[in-house]
Amino acid sequence: EIVLTQSPATLSLSPGERATLSCRASQSVSSFLAWYQQKPGQAPRLLIYDASNRATGIPARFSGSGSGTDFTLTISSLEPEDFAVYYCQQRSNWPGTFGQGTKVEIK
Amino acid sequence: EVQLLESGGGLVQPGGSLRLSCAASGFTFNTYGMGWVRQAPGKGLEWVSAISGRGSNSYYADSLKGRFTISRDNSKTTLYLQMNSLRAEDTAVYYCARQPYYFDYWGQGTLVTVSS
């Protein structure tokens, strides 16, 4: 089983700051990695798929990069609605596994 | 508009059974893989099970050890999860999601509580 490790566990930032989240895979997943956002009491929402493609309706301030074992989700300038938990998920070994999440909280 | 609506959750005693349903609309159901993902209270996401569009292939998390069965009725555009021999650690919100490759649409979730 491919294990995804996300860091940091919690990121404390202010609105307008840049957020950089990391996801590392225990073995190569090529570019088969997605990012999800989850707000309290809501279902997750797909943000990024295949490492760097924004899903439908996702603002341009969200971007993804990486391949192989190291991936990054960047939020260029945090909006109030961006404070949430973010998960990565790989589909290299379908149907895939999730990372443990990174919480982006207001500083 | 894609919609996924789960039902069937509730309180069940340890060792009991429950069947979850997920009614789908707004897309051609039989052309998409579907899956179940759960989230224990205060915890992260855990993939549970998935099934191919025609229902010919199904997949399960190793931790389930044969207790859960996924199925679908394409004529009713409904996904199911039969859960047997339930344990306290199965307590979670269960989400159904459309899964062509990634989980692109999610239901609102249904809470399953296993407790005596």
Side-chain angles (χ1 to χ4, degrees):
Chain A
E1 177 182 302
I2 297 176
V3 176
L4 300 179
T5 302
Q6 292 187 239
S7 61
T10 304
L11 198 53
S12 299
L13 296 168
S14 300
E17 290 193 294
R18 182 184 189 89
T20 303
L21 289 66
S22 175
C23 177
R24 176 165 289 180
S26 59
Q27 64 188 75
S28 176
V29 298
S30 185
S31 295
F32 300 132
L33 189 107
W35 291 93
Y36 300 84
Q37 176 194 66
Q38 187 180 33
K39 298 178 182 179
Q42 296 185 16
R45 177 175 69 149
L46 178 66
L47 297 177
I48 301 288
Y49 65 94
D50 288 345
S52 61
N53 298 290
R54 277 190 301 277
T56 303
I58 301 304
R61 64 181 182 272
F62 292 93
S63 63
S65 63
S67 66
T69 60
D70 291 300
F71 299 86
T72 301
L73 174 69
T74 301
I75 310 170
S76 59
S77 178
L78 283 164
E79 297 287 339
E81 62 268 27
D82 299 337
F83 291 92
V85 180
Y86 293 83
Y87 295 93
C88 57
Q89 183 228 345
Q90 64 82 19
R91 73 164 182 93
S92 177
N93 288 352
W94 196 86
T97 49
F98 291 94
Q100 82 280 13
T102 290
K103 182 179 182 179
V104 178
E105 65 176 23
I106 299 176
K107 185 174 181 180
Chain B
E1 178 191 6
V2 173
Q3 290 191 331
L4 301 169
L5 184 61
E6 301 97 335
S7 61
L11 175 64
V12 61
Q13 292 188 338
S17 298
L18 214 54
R19 188 175 85 154
L20 306 183
S21 300
C22 173
S25 61
F27 64 101
T28 305
F29 184 68
N30 63 7
T31 65
Y32 285 89
M34 297 292 295
W36 291 95
V37 176
R38 69 184 181 182
Q39 186 169 37
K43 301 297 184 182
L45 302 173
E46 179 186 17
W47 171 74
V48 171
S49 183
I51 189 168
S52 60
R54 295 184 177 183
S56 52
N57 296 297
S58 57
Y59 308 84
Y60 300 92
D62 291 343
S63 60
L64 297 180
K65 294 183 180 178
R67 298 184 296 119
F68 289 12
T69 303
I70 192 172
S71 63
R72 62 192 296 161
D73 185 335
N74 286 344
S75 67
K76 296 181 179 179
T77 65
T78 301
L79 175 73
Y80 303 100
L81 185 68
Q82 177 68 42
M83 304 185 294
N84 298 329
S85 303
L86 284 162
R87 306 167 179 170
E89 55 264 35
D90 296 318
T91 294
V93 174
Y94 285 73
Y95 295 101
C96 76
R98 194 176 79 167
Q99 189 181 10
Y101 294 104
Y102 302 103
F103 297 104
D104 62 352
Y105 287 93
W106 299 64
Q108 85 292 346
T110 187
L111 176 63
V112 172
T113 303
V114 184
S115 175
S116 55

